[in-house]
Amino acid sequence: MKKTALIILIATLNLLLPQTIEAKVELPAIVSSNMVLQRNTTIVLWGWSDAKEDIEIEASWLKKTINITSDNEGNWRLEVKTTNSKALQTIKIKSKASNIILENILFGEVWLCSGQSNMFQPISGYSGQPTFIPSMTIAKSSNPNLRLFSVDKIGSKTPLKNIEKYTPWQQASPESIIDFSAIAYFFGQQLQETLDCPVGMIHTSWGGSTVQAWMSNETISSYETINLEKVDISKQTNHIPTALFNSMINPLVPYTIKGMLWYQGESNRNEPENYKKLFPAMVKDWRSRWGIGDFPFYYVQIAPFIYGGNKEYGYPDNSAFIREAQLECLDLIPNSGIAITMDIGEEDFIHPPKKKEVADRLLYNALNQTYNFKTVDYAAPIYESFLLKDKGMLIKFKNAETGLYTYNTLEGFEIAGTDKVFYPAEAKILNRKDVFVKSESVPNPVAVRYAWSNWVLGTLFDTNLLPASSFRTDTWEDATQVEK
């Protein structure tokens, strides 16, 4: 009896005394086996452990083992130089309670892709809204040098340190690409083939999301008051300011990347002037958080779509105004580029099926501006100036060094006098580099607009078939169209 009582007493005391439990080292979801690390640069490895935990890190490409100690909160961070090697790499992380081995790692080019449904649109497409892709493209997609990582849709009121839902790094294959972003896949697949090096594509987007949802609280608070205390995060999550930044961007920082791709704007189409403030502010904030300078940021101008009808000609219901705002952001965002999609929209579908063409135009930006393929044309014609001539207007363009082109005849041009009423106009290419616009209904023109409506099919290109953006020579917000 006495022995039994003693055992019970000891057990009770053990329950009452503080217990020492050695916690294992924890890594962010993005840092794992099969990942691609940005090549030939300084990358960041980070994670969490017990406070003041001694951690030993051994990387296959480094000659010496690295020893670090986590801080008072258990955070640890390490900067490591990578190489240009194409060999498979491993990382071993050890502590008193951990022995982590990360395998099948590659050095290559890493790009992050974000936005709303047109970026999210997978290879498999949406219901009744396909992604145009030959079946053989899927069949031949197996590629150990192309790796994919996806962040699942989840929101948060506060910044998360780790991703809660995701699809981990995996090699490209028919099974892995089918539900992956089509634009991200096409961009990555062609970049890998062109550079002949490994490529990692990180996808984090949410259909219908606003730019406000992707902004940090610190940044958006400069423009509007944010209080999420009583907000139901499960309802209209993709429209809640900061909700997607907190859970789908913040946990990815500071995973070292080469650049970013962005396709978003449809959900902000009725606030073009505000978008011109918020979008560049978001980019500036993201770059600041990554801490690797003004990395390349290439984005897509939203495609034409009916948006309930083309009667909405005026500001801001006409989506041409948000397309204009996106184009003007080129001058507001350093080291940026734009993919124009005036020729590949769909009148009845907000999700154009020609996603490879979009990826191609983003890739042209990257090849020319980031990877120094200077013979690759990436810049579409942009309106520059006009001259009054022969009761018409002669329109001049930037980025038309080799001239302008149209498949058949130019359409979508309008011209107006001082009454601000726009009439359909005839347009033709002169000297293979300018456009002359004229209408008998407007003998004294002062303004021209091109493709200035929700739905339109672009007809003006450069000789490399990059389409011109919709544009206007005026700054009117109260212009009208003649009754048709």
Side-chain angles (χ1 to χ4, degrees):
M1 290 292 292
K2 290 183 179 180
K3 186 176 181 180
T4 302
L6 180 62
I7 292 173
I8 294 173
L9 177 61
I10 293 173
T12 303
L13 289 173
N14 283 336
L15 290 173
L16 294 174
L17 291 174
Q19 300 295 302
T20 300
I21 301 175
E22 293 182 342
K24 292 185 177 181
V25 170
E26 181 184 358
L27 296 176
I30 190 73
V31 178
S32 69
S33 294
N34 305 315
M35 65 182 169
V36 178
L37 295 174
Q38 181 59 40
R39 62 177 176 166
N40 213 28
T41 190
T42 299
I43 60 102
V44 176
L45 299 174
W46 78 102
W48 311 277
S49 66
D50 279 343
K52 298 297 182 179
E53 181 80 13
D54 292 326
I55 301 170
E56 180 181 287
I57 299 177
E58 179 183 333
S60 58
W61 67 95
L62 299 178
K63 294 181 179 180
K64 296 182 179 180
T65 298
I66 300 173
N67 295 286
I68 60 172
T69 302
S70 60
D71 64 20
N72 292 331
E73 284 74 44
N75 302 304
W76 60 269
R77 173 186 168 120
L78 175 68
E79 293 186 353
V80 180
K81 179 71 176 179
T82 59
T83 73
N84 205 30
S85 170
K86 293 183 180 180
L88 292 174
Q89 308 293 338
T90 59
I91 298 174
K92 298 178 181 180
I93 302 173
K94 297 180 181 179
S95 69
K96 289 181 179 179
S98 299
N99 186 12
I100 301 171
I101 300 178
L102 307 181
E103 301 176 302
N104 196 28
I105 299 168
L106 289 171
F107 297 148
E109 297 298 293
V110 182
W111 286 79
L112 188 148
C113 311
S114 188
Q116 57 181 110
S117 57
N118 272 303
M119 179 61 82
F120 188 92
Q121 184 170 339
I123 290 290
S124 57
Y126 296 125
S127 178
Q129 299 176 73
T131 299
F132 286 170
I133 172 175
S135 294
M136 285 305 295
T137 300
I138 298 175
K140 294 180 178 180
S141 62
S142 293
N143 186 348
N145 287 317
L146 176 59
R147 308 287 176 85
L148 316 174
F149 184 96
S150 288
V151 181
D152 290 356
K153 294 182 284 187
I154 187 172
S156 174
K157 293 184 180 182
T158 58
L160 303 180
K161 71 175 185 179
N162 204 356
I163 302 165
E164 294 187 353
K165 294 182 179 181
Y166 60 95
T167 301
W169 285 106
Q170 52 189 331
Q171 298 179 9
S173 68
E175 293 75 26
S176 65
I177 76 164
I178 197 71
D179 292 322
F180 193 72
S181 162
I183 289 176
Y185 171 72
F186 286 130
F187 179 94
Q189 180 268 321
Q190 294 180 105
L191 183 66
Q192 192 281 315
E193 181 179 300
T194 303
L195 300 182
D196 188 27
C197 79
V199 169
M201 301 302 296
I202 304 168
H203 170 238
T204 177
S205 61
W206 191 322
S209 57
T210 60
V211 70
Q212 290 91 333
W214 295 102
M215 299 176 70
S216 69
N217 183 69
E218 293 85 350
T219 299
I220 198 171
S221 292
S222 298
Y223 302 93
E224 57 186 86
T225 302
I226 305 300
N227 185 349
L228 304 184
E229 184 178 352
K230 297 182 180 180
V231 172
D232 184 349
I233 197 69
S234 67
K235 296 180 179 179
Q236 292 190 310
T237 310
N238 54 355
H239 279 239
I240 298 174
T242 77
L244 306 190
F245 168 84
N246 290 335
S247 54
M248 299 177 68
I249 294 295
N250 191 68
L252 298 172
V253 181
Y255 194 86
T256 308
I257 59 174
K258 185 68 172 184
M260 290 189 182
L261 308 179
W262 176 260
Y263 193 164
Q264 189 276 335
E266 293 91 344
S267 290
N268 292 97
R269 69 182 184 89
N270 288 325
E271 49 175 343
E273 288 303 314
N274 196 36
Y275 195 81
K276 277 174 59 178
K277 300 174 185 177
L278 299 181
F279 178 38
M282 183 203 78
V283 176
K284 183 178 181 180
D285 180 52
W286 287 13
R287 284 171 167 170
S288 175
R289 291 172 185 276
W290 255 270
I292 52 176
D294 287 345
F295 52 71
F297 196 101
Y298 303 133
Y299 61 97
V300 184
Q301 185 188 67
I302 66 170
F305 170 63
I306 196 65
Y307 285 112
N310 266 346
K311 294 181 180 179
E312 297 90 347
Y313 185 76
Y315 181 90
D317 296 320
N318 184 347
S319 57
F321 287 97
I322 190 68
R323 295 197 296 265
E324 178 184 62
Q326 290 178 310
L327 188 64
E328 291 173 346
C329 283
L330 272 180
D331 296 327
L332 303 175
I333 303 174
N335 197 17
S336 64
I338 191 170
I340 306 298
T341 58
M342 293 302 300
D343 59 325
I344 57 177
E346 288 283 335
E347 183 174 7
D348 298 318
F349 296 109
I350 199 171
H351 305 118
K354 296 181 178 179
K355 288 295 183 285
K356 183 178 181 298
E357 288 80 350
V358 178
D360 289 349
R361 291 167 191 179
L362 289 169
L363 183 64
Y364 300 155
N365 276 276
L367 291 178
N368 184 291
Q369 298 190 82
T370 302
Y371 297 108
N372 206 33
F373 286 71
K374 295 305 179 184
T375 57
V376 175
D377 185 15
Y378 72 96
I382 295 176
Y383 162 71
E384 183 174 40
S385 62
F386 72 85
L387 296 172
L388 296 177
K389 177 183 178 180
D390 299 334
K391 296 184 178 182
M393 296 176 66
L394 188 69
I395 310 299
K396 294 185 173 293
F397 296 85
K398 295 184 291 185
N399 307 330
E401 299 87 352
T402 58
L404 299 173
Y405 175 78
T406 185
Y407 284 99
N408 296 300
T409 58
L410 291 177
E411 297 178 354
F413 283 85
E414 301 170 286
I415 199 165
T418 55
D419 60 357
K420 302 182 182 179
V421 178
F422 280 89
Y423 290 78
E426 295 181 1
K428 58 182 179 180
I429 298 173
L430 293 185
N431 304 318
R432 299 182 181 178
K433 63 179 182 178
D434 304 321
V435 174
F436 181 67
V437 186
K438 186 176 182 179
S439 172
E440 296 298 330
S441 301
V442 186
N444 298 301
V446 298
V448 162
R449 290 182 174 183
Y450 164 68
W452 206 258
S453 58
N454 283 327
W455 163 244
V456 65
L457 190 62
T459 59
L460 179 63
F461 304 82
D462 69 8
T463 53
N464 290 310
L465 300 183
L466 295 177
S469 170
S470 49
F471 68 85
R472 56 176 177 157
T473 65
D474 62 274
T475 58
W476 304 328
E477 293 184 0
D478 55 347
T480 59
Q481 284 179 309
V482 67
E483 292 286 338
K484 296 181 180 180

